[in-house]
Amino acid sequence: MNLRWVAVLVLLASAVLAVRSLADRRRTAREISELRDDIYVARVATDSCRNAVAYAEMSLRRFGDAVDSVRGQVRSLEALDERGVPEERYDEYMRLFNAYNDSVALWDDRVAKLRADEAACRSVIERHNLLADSLRRRLRPGSREEGSKPVP
């Protein structure tokens, strides 16, 4: 009779271990799937962020070219006469001069915004990288999830 109880206990313990193992595998598979979903969302956000920063950089370069052009026009008017801008061109000169000064303030604002956008983008990229590293650790050979396929 004792041997029978031992066999029942061993069988019961094996069943409990099998159920726990199955539950652990399902939980792990769910966690990996959630990580992959989070990585996808983070990748989309990273791509969007990079594109927005690239567009802002291009826009800033174009704006810089326009500012340089206005500065060149101001300098050319100043160079017309060594005594100063000729009276008949003075209104044009002042319009360009004020436009140039206004554009310098705008330039500074755009540069500050671009730097802030780049910093925000870096944090988005860092989050993506942390998620990807976390998934790689979960899928590393020898981990409980060995045999799962890595993120493409």
Side-chain angles (χ1 to χ4, degrees), residues 65-75 96-97 99-100 103:
D65 292 344
V67 170
D68 289 344
S69 174
V70 172
R71 183 178 350 130
Q73 291 173 357
V74 167
R75 287 185 177 162
L96 289 169
F97 184 80
Y100 174 73
S103 66

Side-chain angles (χ1 to χ4, degrees), residues 15-59:
V16 167
L17 289 175
V19 168
R20 281 186 183 170
S21 176
L22 180 62
D24 284 346
R25 281 194 303 256
R26 285 183 178 168
R27 179 183 47 79
T28 299
R30 186 179 62 252
E31 289 171 359
I32 288 172
S33 178
E34 289 171 1
L35 255 177
R36 285 182 171 151
D37 291 345
D38 290 346
I39 288 170
Y40 175 77
V41 169
R43 186 177 298 150
V44 169
T46 296
D47 291 346
S48 176
C49 189
R50 285 179 177 164
N51 290 337
V53 167
Y55 179 79
E57 287 172 345
M58 180 189 67
S59 177

